[in-house]
């Protein structure tokens, strides 16, 4: 399938084709980290949506988006890297260098989102901590996202 001709879209056509979630709903999504358990290279957490947008084109209601997922994975990585560096408060900047998220099966439960992050590579290079983590994000209804995150603390 391919678009054969050139198209110029104006504001009306752009608005008609745009996602209301990307235009407006993403700004309504808010989440909180309810708890974290760190054991060696494994971080486990529970996240819940405080508020969220329900797409008018999804008849089944809430579904977790990759946007919110990337946000809370970044925050969890930030926390883990500070703990690994033995800091008690956020005192350094963390940088997400790369993030790949795959939606395997839709996550529908906004109240109980579980996260497992396996920091399989963690290196200190001078004053910087470099990390890579394999992640699972899932709910109690069989929803599953997988992710791979690379980041650093400096």
């Amino acid at each position: 399938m391919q678009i054969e001709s050139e198209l110029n879209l104006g504001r009306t056509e752009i608005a008609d084709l745009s996602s209301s979630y990307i235009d407006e709903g993403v700004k309504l999504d808010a989440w909180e980290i309810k708890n974290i358990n760190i054991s060696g290279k494994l971080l486990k957490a529970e996240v819940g949506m405080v508020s969220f947008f329900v797409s008018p084109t999804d008849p089944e209601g809430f579904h977790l988006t990759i946007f919110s997922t990337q946000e809370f994975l970044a925050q969890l990585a930030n926390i883990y890297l500070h703990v690994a560096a033995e800091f008690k408060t956020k005192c350094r900047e963390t940088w997400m260098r790369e993030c790949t998220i795959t939606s395997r099966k839709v996550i529908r439960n906004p109240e109980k989102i579980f996260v497992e992050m396996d920091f399989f590579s963690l290196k200190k290079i001078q004053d910087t901590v470099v990390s890579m983590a394999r992640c699972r994000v899932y709910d109690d209804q069989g929803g599953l996202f997988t992710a791979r995150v690379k980041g650093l603390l400096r």
Side-chain angles (χ1 to χ4, degrees), residues 56-144:
T57 56
D58 184 350
E60 294 185 50
F62 170 80
H63 64 267
L64 182 64
T65 67
I66 285 178
F67 300 110
S68 290
T69 302
Q70 184 173 338
E71 287 179 7
F72 62 69
L73 288 176
Q75 185 70 288
L76 290 166
N78 170 67
I79 292 167
Y80 182 89
L81 291 175
H82 275 81
V83 169
E86 300 181 349
F87 295 122
K88 299 288 185 199
T89 60
K90 184 183 184 310
C91 57
R92 300 271 180 93
E93 199 59 32
T94 53
W95 299 81
M96 183 181 284
R97 292 180 27 218
E98 189 176 317
C99 180
T100 304
I101 302 172
T102 303
S103 175
R104 305 281 179 190
K105 187 170 180 209
V106 67
I107 294 174
R108 294 274 182 198
N109 188 343
E111 295 173 10
K112 289 191 174 288
I113 301 166
F114 303 102
V115 181
E116 293 176 1
M117 299 179 78
D118 174 15
F119 288 85
F120 65 92
S121 178
L122 194 64
K123 298 175 187 170
K124 186 167 185 178
I125 302 169
Q126 294 177 341
D127 208 24
T128 301
V129 179
V130 180
S131 70
M132 288 189 284
R134 285 184 215 87
C135 312
R136 291 182 67 239
V137 179
Y138 59 98
D139 66 6
D140 57 358
Q141 299 172 13
L144 174 65

Side-chain angles (χ1 to χ4, degrees), residues 18-31 49-58 60-65 67-68 107-108 110:
S18 291
S19 162
S20 57
Y21 173 74
I22 295 171
D23 279 349
E24 302 165 23
V26 71
K27 297 167 186 76
L28 301 176
D29 283 354
W31 46 266
M49 298 300 294
V50 175
S51 64
F52 52 86
F53 178 83
V54 175
S55 173
T57 56
D58 184 350
E60 294 185 50
F62 170 80
H63 64 267
L64 182 64
T65 67
F67 300 110
S68 290
I107 294 174
R108 294 274 182 198

